[in-house]
Amino acid sequence: MAEKRQQRRIKRRLMVKYGERELSQSGFTGDVSTTGLFIISASMPPLDTRLHIQLFVEPERCLFFEGEVRRHKLVPAELRTIERGGFGVRLLSPREVLTSALDQELRIPHFELSYPTRAAFQQAYERELRMGAVFISTSKQLPRDTQVIVSLVLEFSGRVVELEAQVAQVFPPQEGPGTMVGLALLFTNRARAEALLRPWLGQA
């Protein structure tokens, strides 16, 4: 027995704009449901393409979605006066969109430095942090200009300051005692870093 659709489709012609990055394409819906749309359009995005979608439920009222192209409907030229071609889109749930966004964020390398006392933090600030830089001792080798996240754990205050940075210099493993191995990082926004860190230099 053929699988029945769980969501009822409603025949409805609504204007829609869509695109991978910008809403540069337009068309009309052939039918809609709570989980998907069929978009009538001569433009056929490849299957599995993720689209931004603007659906006009009224001339001055619209809804925004993200969706994936799941099927194409091709109609021969001689039949296009009575039937229209287009593509079906599965609408992504907020959970799917958020999970995807967080997965992207988690791909950014993350490092953590801890300062158990205010004195240790003050020394690090005078040595490097005030110049918008920090050295991370790590065996992980990243290309220059790689974007990273640095969490500075101020244990004496119970606070964590999270800053964006990029790799400025790489110190690979070398033979001999006393050689540094790690990454020199520059904060992406030095002014923001200073504004967040300076209040913790004084006495509690």
Side-chain angles (χ1 to χ4, degrees), residues 111-125:
F111 298 98
E112 184 176 289
L113 288 174
S114 295
Y115 303 98
T117 64
R118 191 181 301 274
F121 172 65
Q122 290 172 333
Q123 292 175 2
Y125 185 87

Side-chain angles (χ1 to χ4, degrees), residues 77-177:
E78 63 271 18
L79 298 179
R80 289 175 187 168
T81 56
I82 58 175
E83 191 172 0
R84 304 295 297 274
F87 57 95
V89 174
R90 182 180 73 86
L91 299 179
L92 301 177
S93 69
R95 178 183 58 81
E96 290 177 288
V97 175
L98 183 58
T99 298
S100 176
L102 291 176
D103 284 345
Q104 290 291 334
E105 188 72 18
L106 291 173
R107 293 191 187 104
I108 300 176
H110 184 269
F111 298 98
E112 184 176 289
L113 288 174
S114 295
Y115 303 98
T117 64
R118 191 181 301 274
F121 172 65
Q122 290 172 333
Q123 292 175 2
Y125 185 87
E126 291 300 322
R127 183 177 65 249
E128 55 185 359
L129 297 176
R130 67 184 180 86
M131 294 181 287
V134 66
F135 178 80
I136 302 291
S137 179
T138 177
S139 59
K140 182 180 294 185
Q141 301 294 294
L142 298 175
R144 287 191 59 178
D145 298 326
T146 298
Q147 299 296 313
V148 304
I149 299 294
V150 183
S151 291
L152 304 181
V153 182
L154 311 181
E155 295 182 21
F156 58 90
S157 67
R159 300 298 181 97
V160 177
V161 177
E162 194 170 86
L163 299 170
E164 296 179 353
Q166 64 182 34
V167 177
Q169 191 171 355
V170 181
F171 296 87
Q174 298 179 3
E175 295 183 1

